[in-house]
Amino acid sequence: MDQNDLGTDIEKVLVTEAQIAHRLTEMASDIDRDYQGRDVLLVGVLKGAVMVMADLARALHSRVRMDWMAVSSYGSGTKSSGVVRILKDLDTDLKDQHVLIVEDIIDSGLTLSWLLSNLRSRGAASVEICTLLRKPEAVKVELDVRYVGFDVPNEFVIGYGLDYAERYRNVPFVATLAPHVYQ
Ligand code: PRP
């Protein structure tokens, strides 16, 4: 898929396919270096992280294991309430594991803040975060994020795993949508 396939839906491309590929290679090499000699468990947070996980994992030289979680915000309907419900839990026992959470985006940071303490409470030896995108202006909680691909403005973005009403996840770049798509 490329921009021609999307007609007038795209307002602005924020991160190109080439930029993503290049940055993921750099991040993978940092991860290889930092985890040298240690067994790593990559934990992907469904569904947005699917693309990052697939490409990051293949850019690594380390022999990692992968597992997946699906979470959803509880109650109020706003995804940034910070109260999270597990829809699909990990299959792996985290005791003494070195866990690297793989995310597509950190918006308010509330999902990851909850996830960090949840995974740490399971007795992991370490839990770190790797995200392709972060919105510094939207962050509501202090989060120690070890690996960040790109900081993006506080706008609604789609592509590379990120959706609008479940669409656009397979767009290979990160972009903002034209207003007519919402209207
Ligand atoms: C997105 C993203 C993060 C979360 C970030 O997931 O993948 O998990 O929101 O938001 P926060 O920093 O404000 O907590 P979403 O709930 O849209 O689900 P999806 O990955 O299935 O699209």
Side-chain angles (χ1 to χ4, degrees):
M1 164 168 281
D2 60 35
Q3 214 169 331
N4 292 328
D5 298 315
L6 295 159
T8 58
D9 288 9
I10 299 301
E11 183 180 64
K12 189 178 172 204
V13 177
L14 297 180
V15 192
T16 67
E17 200 173 349
Q19 286 172 322
I20 294 171
H22 180 72
R23 186 72 188 111
L24 285 181
T25 307
E26 292 178 340
M27 292 163 83
S29 117
D30 290 346
I31 293 166
D32 281 330
R33 180 201 60 217
D34 295 349
Y35 285 91
Q36 210 171 19
R38 285 186 288 169
D39 233 4
V40 189
L41 176 71
L42 300 182
V43 169
V45 186
L46 294 168
K47 307 169 203 160
V50 166
M51 305 296 175
V52 189
M53 183 76 145
D55 287 341
L56 178 75
R58 286 180 294 176
L60 289 169
H61 290 280
S62 314
R63 298 183 195 183
V64 295
R65 284 161 303 137
M66 292 184 229
D67 203 344
W68 301 89
M69 269 185 98
V71 295
S72 161
S73 225
Y74 222 121
S76 75
T78 62
K79 70 173 180 180
S80 296
S81 70
V83 186
V84 175
R85 178 165 62 115
I86 296 176
L87 302 178
K88 186 231 169 282
D89 207 345
L90 299 170
D91 297 324
T92 317
D93 180 355
L94 295 191
K95 179 120 184 54
D96 303 328
Q97 301 291 316
H98 292 286
V99 176
L100 181 57
I101 303 172
V102 178
E103 262 287 22
D104 49 341
I105 192 163
I106 300 176
D107 207 310
S108 68
L110 291 167
T111 305
L112 268 179
S113 172
W114 182 90
L115 206 54
L116 259 187
S117 46
N118 181 284
L119 299 190
R120 282 190 175 135
S121 75
R122 303 185 195 195
S126 68
V127 185
E128 299 290 348
I129 300 168
C130 173
T131 185
L132 180 71
L133 306 172
R134 178 176 60 183
K135 290 182 180 173
E137 298 151 36
V139 170
K140 287 189 184 148
V141 280
E142 276 286 312
L143 259 188
D144 188 11
V145 186
R146 184 88 169 259
Y147 309 96
V148 181
F150 301 92
D151 280 331
V152 291
N154 192 10
E155 295 173 58
F156 188 78
V157 294
I158 56 92
Y160 204 74
L162 292 153
D163 73 308
Y164 171 58
E166 292 303 325
R167 296 182 191 277
Y168 305 102
R169 290 195 197 272
N170 64 325
V171 171
F173 49 83
V174 175
T176 54
L177 282 178
H180 74 80
V181 177
Y182 302 91
Q183 291 153 7

